[in-house]
Amino acid sequence: MERKLIVTSSPHIKTPESVQSVMIDVLVALFPAALAGVIFFGWPALLTMVLCTVSAMVAEALVLREKNIFGDGSAAVTGLLLAMVLPPAVPWWISVLGGAIAIIIGKQVFGGIGNNIFNPALVARAILLASWAGHLTTWVRPVDLTTAATPLELGADAFSFTNLFVGAIPGSLGETSAFALILGAAWLFYKGHIDWRIPGGYIGTVFVMGLLFEGFGSPMAMVSAGLFHVLAGGVLLGALFMATDMVTSPVTTRGRLIFGIGCGVMTMLVRLFGAFPEGVTFAILLMNALTPLIDNLTLPTKYGEVAK
């Protein structure tokens, strides 16, 4: 008898998307920021990106014993994201070690893709920062690559908003150009991989807290203080590409908004009252740890459920 119907367990909703197609979209979205990093910081930035990405892919291929080094593309995304949060001229061995740490400690020890609790690239950055703080906090100017301080270290009056928006400032190689980050994120919004809640809650909270805590004088000065904290440092990179990681962020709509607001609050608490001038890495990792709790507290009401 010919079989006409096959019944399988749920879920039954299918999508043409795959892990690999999503990862390729993320790589496309990161291209403007990567290109801006090369334009401003030259070959050291390119070398850092290549070493981080290749070392991450090789580490995953070795752990999973796969011959296809690209795999599903997630290792390449992790490596490139790690490069985005490193100084442009970091020593080559830190890039190689960081890529391996991101995959082995940040991802595979939890069971691989879909099971990691924390963002792997930020896990690697936190470990590298704790181990070799001197290398991870040595910044250079664009073009001439001379040692310089970042806008968060120098204050709001050190750089114009034009430079902050375009990216002609010292900082991590992928965080300096707000224009490039917004351009890349537009692709992810268009493809439906992220929605407004996490980046909106994150960026909005940073803006409001900057306005309230450091905006003194006229309304224009208050707005400038809030805008400075959005454009300086890694807020846009963190809000648009790190906090929105599908694996380590909440799945509920209310949970995503809470998650974004929490990232913004923690970032600003570190910036305003902590020992470090930047708090994006620590904020996102902390909120990653709270993701299961946030999801549990924001579960939607089931259809037909009666309140107890």
Side-chain angles (χ1 to χ4, degrees):
M1 180 177 179
E2 186 179 357
R3 189 166 54 181
K4 299 292 185 180
L5 181 65
I6 300 176
V7 179
T8 60
S9 62
S10 60
H12 300 293
I13 299 175
K14 295 185 180 295
T15 174
E17 293 180 345
S18 64
V19 172
Q20 188 176 80
S21 68
V22 173
M23 293 301 115
I24 291 175
D25 283 337
V26 176
L27 290 173
V28 171
L30 285 170
F31 177 76
L35 179 62
V38 174
I39 291 174
F40 289 119
F41 300 108
W43 71 266
L46 179 60
L47 180 62
T48 297
M49 287 187 283
V50 170
L51 290 176
C52 286
T53 304
V54 172
S55 66
M57 291 192 296
V58 170
E60 178 147 295
L62 292 175
V63 171
L64 300 180
R65 299 180 182 178
E66 292 185 353
K67 295 181 180 180
N68 181 6
I69 190 173
F70 186 75
D72 57 18
S74 61
V77 169
T78 297
L80 186 55
L81 283 173
L82 172 62
M84 296 288 104
V85 296
L86 294 180
V90 72
W92 67 269
W93 55 270
I94 283 188
S95 300
V96 174
L97 187 59
I101 289 173
I103 295 300
I104 297 172
I105 299 179
K107 181 180 177 182
Q108 292 300 334
V109 295
F110 294 101
I113 187 169
N115 297 301
N116 50 288
I117 302 172
F118 303 101
N119 184 292
L122 293 182
V123 169
R125 187 185 188 278
I127 293 175
L128 293 174
L129 180 62
S131 303
W132 298 282
H135 290 304
L136 268 289
T137 55
T138 299
W139 313 103
V140 294
R141 297 180 186 275
V143 184
D144 63 9
L145 303 184
T146 57
T147 304
T150 64
L152 289 175
E153 293 170 324
L154 295 176
D157 298 329
F159 298 91
S160 68
F161 281 106
T162 300
N163 286 338
L164 288 171
F165 185 73
V166 173
I169 56 174
S172 296
L173 72 86
E175 74 180 18
T176 61
S177 177
F179 172 73
L181 291 168
I182 294 171
L183 182 64
W187 176 250
L188 296 181
F189 279 110
Y190 171 73
K191 297 293 286 187
H193 297 317
I194 60 176
D195 65 18
W196 64 270
R197 290 173 180 82
I198 292 178
Y202 198 154
I203 296 169
T205 300
V206 168
F207 177 81
V208 171
M209 290 187 68
L211 180 150
L212 294 176
F213 284 92
E214 293 200 334
F216 304 105
S218 66
M220 183 61 69
M222 296 178 70
V223 171
S224 296
L227 190 59
F228 169 76
H229 276 284
V230 171
L231 296 179
V235 167
L236 288 179
L237 177 61
L240 297 172
F241 291 95
M242 297 289 194
T244 53
D245 176 32
M246 300 174 189
V247 177
T248 59
S249 61
V251 297
T252 65
T253 53
R254 286 186 300 159
R256 290 173 182 171
L257 187 59
I258 293 170
F259 182 89
I261 293 173
C263 287
V265 170
M266 290 304 305
T267 296
M268 290 304 292
L269 288 178
V270 173
R271 285 186 176 186
L272 297 172
F273 307 109
F276 290 95
E278 179 62 285
V280 171
T281 296
F282 307 108
I284 296 177
L285 289 176
L286 176 62
M287 295 306 297
N288 286 161
L290 296 178
T291 291
L293 177 62
I294 294 173
D295 273 335
N296 186 55
L297 293 176
T298 57
L299 286 174
T301 302
K302 297 178 182 177
Y303 180 75
E305 182 179 357
V306 179
K308 295 180 181 179

